[in-house]
């Protein structure tokens, strides 16, 4: 079954997996363009519904094709479950009333150039080559979250400007999606314990378990990286721009640090202690993005830097140039203070005096 056959089959048979109350529902296929992704979506809307989820059929087809144990019926049951979980009756007034909206505002971070077509009609704040967009948390539960992105039309309807939206999002984002900071050693240790427990439950030989424990310990020993995300570990890269977070990380790192865009869900922080260059880190980010991060989760290949003294967030290569320039200026100032000038500058001054 190819993709075209798959989406039409889902559209034509989804009602067979839904309760009687959905028998007159309208089923639609639509092309959906979101941050970092473009997909064919499915919506099922009953009369009177003000909210309906958009099911990503591209992701479902990939899952259906890759996992042969999943038959079409199980895929349809999964779709039906999502449709029924989302409340059809939703107070649309909450979305149109800005006083209600601002209490549920949070931010997402994406690559500005990659999402230029979406950002063209979306209020956003640019940070270097990254873009902060604004979203409303509609529902939060065990099966996930329901959110919607604020568009230019919505912002105009609210009667607020970009600065007001930004300030309210900065105030409320840490409440809606609190920051979570954890050393990668601790994160890997937790993951390692889970893996070891699973091996024990599966009856793995003691020697194999011991070898795995030793290997895991070696992997996370003295790793300088810190993981920064939100409490959901979903769309958590934006927390780096929460008020005070960069300075908080500076205290934790005891100085300047590099910021690695692990994905849209999290970022990694590495101390700028001279042990590794930004070029090496950039090569690492590129390789991880190419081999381990799904396209829809990628942020950028850039590495960033935070200067704790000047409190500047910038691309790492920009910081390197700025640092070089500052060192050159300090060198000239030191020479002048000592009553000496570099040989090239002496020649320049002599030439001026001879004219």
């Amino acid at each position: 079954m190819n993709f075209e056959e798959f989406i039409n089959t889902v559209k034509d048979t989804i009602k067979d997996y839904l309760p009687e109350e959905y028998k007159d529902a309208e089923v639609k296929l639509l092309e959906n363009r979101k941050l970092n992704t473009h997909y064919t979506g499915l919506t099922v809307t009953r009369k009177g519904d003000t909210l309906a989820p958009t099911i990503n059929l591209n992701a479902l087809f990939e899952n259906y094709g890759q996992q042969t144990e999943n038959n079409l019926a199980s895929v349809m049951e999964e779709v039906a479950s999502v449709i029924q979980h989302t409340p059809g009756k939703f107070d649309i007034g909450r979305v149109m009333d800005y006083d209600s909206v601002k209490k549920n505002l949070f931010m997402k971070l994406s690559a500005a150039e990659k999402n230029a077509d979406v950002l063209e009609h979306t209020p956003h704040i640019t940070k270097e080559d990254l873009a902060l967009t604004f979203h409303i948390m509609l529902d939060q539960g065990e099966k996930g979250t329901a959110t919607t992105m604020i568009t230019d039309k919505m912002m105009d309807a609210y009667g607020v400007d970009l600065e007001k939206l930004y300030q309210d999002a900065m105030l409320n984002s840490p409440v809606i999606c609190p920051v979570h900071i954890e050393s990668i050693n601790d994160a890997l240790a937790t993951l390692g314990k889970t893996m070891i427990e699973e091996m024990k439950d599966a009856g793995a030989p003691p020697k194999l378990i011991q070898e795995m424990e030793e290997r895991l310990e070696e992997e996370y020993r003295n790793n300088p990286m810190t993981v920064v995300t939100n409490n959901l570990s979903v769309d958590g890269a934006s927390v780096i721009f929460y008020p005070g977070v960069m300075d908080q990380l500076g205290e934790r790192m005891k100085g300047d640090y590099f910021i690695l865009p692990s994905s849209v869900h999290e970022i990694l922080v590495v101390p700028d202690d001279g042990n590794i260059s930004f070029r090496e880190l950039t090569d690492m980010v590129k390789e991880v993005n190419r081999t381990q991060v799904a396209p829809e989760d990628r942020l950028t290949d850039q590495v960033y830097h935070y200067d704790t003294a000047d409190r500047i967030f910038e691309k790492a290569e920009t910081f390197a140039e700025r640092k070089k320039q500052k060192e050159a200026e300090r060198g000239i100032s030191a020479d002048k203070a000592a009553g000496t000038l570099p040989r090239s500058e002496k020649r320049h001054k002599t030439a001026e005096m001879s004219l």
Side-chain angles (χ1 to χ4, degrees), residues 29 46 56 59 100 106 108 145 249 252 259 273 299 319:
L29 294 176
R46 295 167 296 179
N56 185 334
S100 296
F106 72 101
K108 291 185 182 182
T145 60
L249 288 168
R252 187 181 178 114
I259 299 168
D273 54 10
L299 201 48
F319 169 75

PDB file of all heavy atoms in Angstrom, residues 29 46 56 59 100 106 108 145 249 252 259 273 299 319:
ATOM      1  N   LEU A  29      -9.053  15.593   4.697  1.00  0.00           N
ATOM      2  CA  LEU A  29      -7.608  15.545   4.521  1.00  0.00           C
ATOM      3  C   LEU A  29      -7.142  16.955   4.189  1.00  0.00           C
ATOM      4  O   LEU A  29      -7.785  17.651   3.405  1.00  0.00           O
ATOM      5  CB  LEU A  29      -7.219  14.598   3.390  1.00  0.00           C
ATOM      6  CG  LEU A  29      -7.497  13.114   3.579  1.00  0.00           C
ATOM      7  CD1 LEU A  29      -7.128  12.350   2.309  1.00  0.00           C
ATOM      8  CD2 LEU A  29      -6.718  12.552   4.776  1.00  0.00           C
ATOM      9  N   ARG A  46     -17.230  16.667  14.507  1.00  0.00           N
ATOM     10  CA  ARG A  46     -18.671  16.514  14.672  1.00  0.00           C
ATOM     11  C   ARG A  46     -19.350  17.881  14.644  1.00  0.00           C
ATOM     12  O   ARG A  46     -18.701  18.909  14.883  1.00  0.00           O
ATOM     13  CB  ARG A  46     -18.987  15.827  16.003  1.00  0.00           C
ATOM     14  CG  ARG A  46     -18.486  14.402  16.115  1.00  0.00           C
ATOM     15  CD  ARG A  46     -18.554  13.912  17.539  1.00  0.00           C
ATOM     16  NE  ARG A  46     -17.654  14.683  18.404  1.00  0.00           N
ATOM     17  CZ  ARG A  46     -17.516  14.489  19.713  1.00  0.00           C
ATOM     18  NH1 ARG A  46     -18.230  13.550  20.312  1.00  0.00           N
ATOM     19  NH2 ARG A  46     -16.680  15.219  20.415  1.00  0.00           N
ATOM     20  N   ASN A  56      -1.249  13.487  12.091  1.00  0.00           N
ATOM     21  CA  ASN A  56      -0.145  13.474  11.132  1.00  0.00           C
ATOM     22  C   ASN A  56      -0.100  12.110  10.432  1.00  0.00           C
ATOM     23  O   ASN A  56       0.394  11.124  10.986  1.00  0.00           O
ATOM     24  CB  ASN A  56       1.175  13.748  11.854  1.00  0.00           C
ATOM     25  CG  ASN A  56       2.345  13.879  10.912  1.00  0.00           C
ATOM     26  OD1 ASN A  56       2.339  13.339   9.809  1.00  0.00           O
ATOM     27  ND2 ASN A  56       3.364  14.608  11.334  1.00  0.00           N
ATOM     28  N   ALA A  59       3.524  10.591   9.547  1.00  0.00           N
ATOM     29  CA  ALA A  59       4.177   9.880  10.649  1.00  0.00           C
ATOM     30  C   ALA A  59       3.548   8.504  10.850  1.00  0.00           C
ATOM     31  O   ALA A  59       4.252   7.516  11.091  1.00  0.00           O
ATOM     32  CB  ALA A  59       4.074  10.702  11.933  1.00  0.00           C
ATOM     33  N   SER A 100      -7.168  35.589  29.054  1.00  0.00           N
ATOM     34  CA  SER A 100      -7.101  34.152  29.305  1.00  0.00           C
ATOM     35  C   SER A 100      -5.910  33.528  28.591  1.00  0.00           C
ATOM     36  O   SER A 100      -5.205  32.669  29.138  1.00  0.00           O
ATOM     37  CB  SER A 100      -8.391  33.467  28.840  1.00  0.00           C
ATOM     38  OG  SER A 100      -9.499  33.915  29.576  1.00  0.00           O
ATOM     39  N   PHE A 106       3.249  30.002  25.992  1.00  0.00           N
ATOM     40  CA  PHE A 106       4.597  29.460  26.102  1.00  0.00           C
ATOM     41  C   PHE A 106       5.288  29.616  24.754  1.00  0.00           C
ATOM     42  O   PHE A 106       4.650  29.967  23.762  1.00  0.00           O
ATOM     43  CB  PHE A 106       4.581  27.995  26.560  1.00  0.00           C
ATOM     44  CG  PHE A 106       4.091  27.018  25.527  1.00  0.00           C
ATOM     45  CD1 PHE A 106       4.975  26.248  24.793  1.00  0.00           C
ATOM     46  CD2 PHE A 106       2.729  26.865  25.276  1.00  0.00           C
ATOM     47  CE1 PHE A 106       4.525  25.337  23.847  1.00  0.00           C
ATOM     48  CE2 PHE A 106       2.268  25.961  24.328  1.00  0.00           C
ATOM     49  CZ  PHE A 106       3.166  25.194  23.609  1.00  0.00           C
ATOM     50  N   LYS A 108       8.199  28.359  21.649  1.00  0.00           N
ATOM     51  CA  LYS A 108       8.942  27.301  20.983  1.00  0.00           C
ATOM     52  C   LYS A 108      10.096  27.951  20.222  1.00  0.00           C
ATOM     53  O   LYS A 108      10.002  29.111  19.799  1.00  0.00           O
ATOM     54  CB  LYS A 108       8.053  26.519  20.006  1.00  0.00           C
ATOM     55  CG  LYS A 108       6.978  25.670  20.669  1.00  0.00           C
ATOM     56  CD  LYS A 108       6.228  24.831  19.631  1.00  0.00           C
ATOM     57  CE  LYS A 108       5.122  24.010  20.248  1.00  0.00           C
ATOM     58  NZ  LYS A 108       4.427  23.152  19.249  1.00  0.00           N
ATOM     59  N   THR A 145      -0.180  16.915  24.805  1.00  0.00           N
ATOM     60  CA  THR A 145      -0.676  18.272  24.944  1.00  0.00           C
ATOM     61  C   THR A 145      -1.418  18.704  23.683  1.00  0.00           C
ATOM     62  O   THR A 145      -1.149  18.208  22.591  1.00  0.00           O
ATOM     63  CB  THR A 145       0.492  19.255  25.186  1.00  0.00           C
ATOM     64  OG1 THR A 145       1.394  19.187  24.069  1.00  0.00           O
ATOM     65  CG2 THR A 145       1.240  18.917  26.463  1.00  0.00           C
ATOM     66  N   LEU A 249      22.957  29.438  34.340  1.00  0.00           N
ATOM     67  CA  LEU A 249      23.871  28.448  33.774  1.00  0.00           C
ATOM     68  C   LEU A 249      25.318  28.919  33.886  1.00  0.00           C
ATOM     69  O   LEU A 249      26.226  28.109  34.086  1.00  0.00           O
ATOM     70  CB  LEU A 249      23.511  28.173  32.314  1.00  0.00           C
ATOM     71  CG  LEU A 249      22.229  27.365  32.095  1.00  0.00           C
ATOM     72  CD1 LEU A 249      21.808  27.408  30.626  1.00  0.00           C
ATOM     73  CD2 LEU A 249      22.425  25.912  32.537  1.00  0.00           C
ATOM     74  N   ARG A 252      26.484  28.039  37.192  1.00  0.00           N
ATOM     75  CA  ARG A 252      26.679  26.579  37.262  1.00  0.00           C
ATOM     76  C   ARG A 252      27.960  26.173  36.546  1.00  0.00           C
ATOM     77  O   ARG A 252      28.692  25.285  37.001  1.00  0.00           O
ATOM     78  CB  ARG A 252      25.465  25.890  36.641  1.00  0.00           C
ATOM     79  CG  ARG A 252      25.444  24.380  36.782  1.00  0.00           C
ATOM     80  CD  ARG A 252      24.217  23.802  36.102  1.00  0.00           C
ATOM     81  NE  ARG A 252      24.185  22.358  36.184  1.00  0.00           N
ATOM     82  CZ  ARG A 252      23.291  21.653  36.853  1.00  0.00           C
ATOM     83  NH1 ARG A 252      22.339  22.275  37.520  1.00  0.00           N
ATOM     84  NH2 ARG A 252      23.322  20.329  36.868  1.00  0.00           N
ATOM     85  N   ILE A 259      26.694  26.708  23.760  1.00  0.00           N
ATOM     86  CA  ILE A 259      25.326  26.201  23.719  1.00  0.00           C
ATOM     87  C   ILE A 259      25.163  25.375  22.456  1.00  0.00           C
ATOM     88  O   ILE A 259      25.329  25.889  21.343  1.00  0.00           O
ATOM     89  CB  ILE A 259      24.317  27.359  23.745  1.00  0.00           C
ATOM     90  CG1 ILE A 259      24.484  28.162  25.037  1.00  0.00           C
ATOM     91  CG2 ILE A 259      22.891  26.843  23.592  1.00  0.00           C
ATOM     92  CD1 ILE A 259      23.744  29.480  25.027  1.00  0.00           C
ATOM     93  N   ASP A 273      36.080  26.258  28.704  1.00  0.00           N
ATOM     94  CA  ASP A 273      37.254  26.215  29.585  1.00  0.00           C
ATOM     95  C   ASP A 273      38.543  25.940  28.833  1.00  0.00           C
ATOM     96  O   ASP A 273      39.583  25.650  29.441  1.00  0.00           O
ATOM     97  CB  ASP A 273      37.050  25.157  30.670  1.00  0.00           C
ATOM     98  CG  ASP A 273      36.710  23.776  30.097  1.00  0.00           C
ATOM     99  OD1 ASP A 273      36.828  23.600  28.866  1.00  0.00           O
ATOM    100  OD2 ASP A 273      36.323  22.885  30.871  1.00  0.00           O
ATOM    101  N   LEU A 299      17.251  21.556  15.035  1.00  0.00           N
ATOM    102  CA  LEU A 299      17.218  22.994  15.253  1.00  0.00           C
ATOM    103  C   LEU A 299      18.155  23.672  14.266  1.00  0.00           C
ATOM    104  O   LEU A 299      17.717  24.313  13.326  1.00  0.00           O
ATOM    105  CB  LEU A 299      17.606  23.299  16.704  1.00  0.00           C
ATOM    106  CG  LEU A 299      17.186  24.640  17.292  1.00  0.00           C
ATOM    107  CD1 LEU A 299      15.725  24.937  17.013  1.00  0.00           C
ATOM    108  CD2 LEU A 299      17.454  24.666  18.788  1.00  0.00           C
ATOM    109  N   PHE A 319      31.587  35.209  18.637  1.00  0.00           N
ATOM    110  CA  PHE A 319      32.299  35.450  19.893  1.00  0.00           C
ATOM    111  C   PHE A 319      33.807  35.335  19.694  1.00  0.00           C
ATOM    112  O   PHE A 319      34.579  36.136  20.224  1.00  0.00           O
ATOM    113  CB  PHE A 319      31.853  34.456  20.966  1.00  0.00           C
ATOM    114  CG  PHE A 319      32.720  34.481  22.193  1.00  0.00           C
ATOM    115  CD1 PHE A 319      32.624  35.524  23.105  1.00  0.00           C
ATOM    116  CD2 PHE A 319      33.661  33.484  22.424  1.00  0.00           C
ATOM    117  CE1 PHE A 319      33.439  35.579  24.225  1.00  0.00           C
ATOM    118  CE2 PHE A 319      34.481  33.520  23.540  1.00  0.00           C
ATOM    119  CZ  PHE A 319      34.367  34.569  24.444  1.00  0.00           C
TER     120      PHE A 319
END
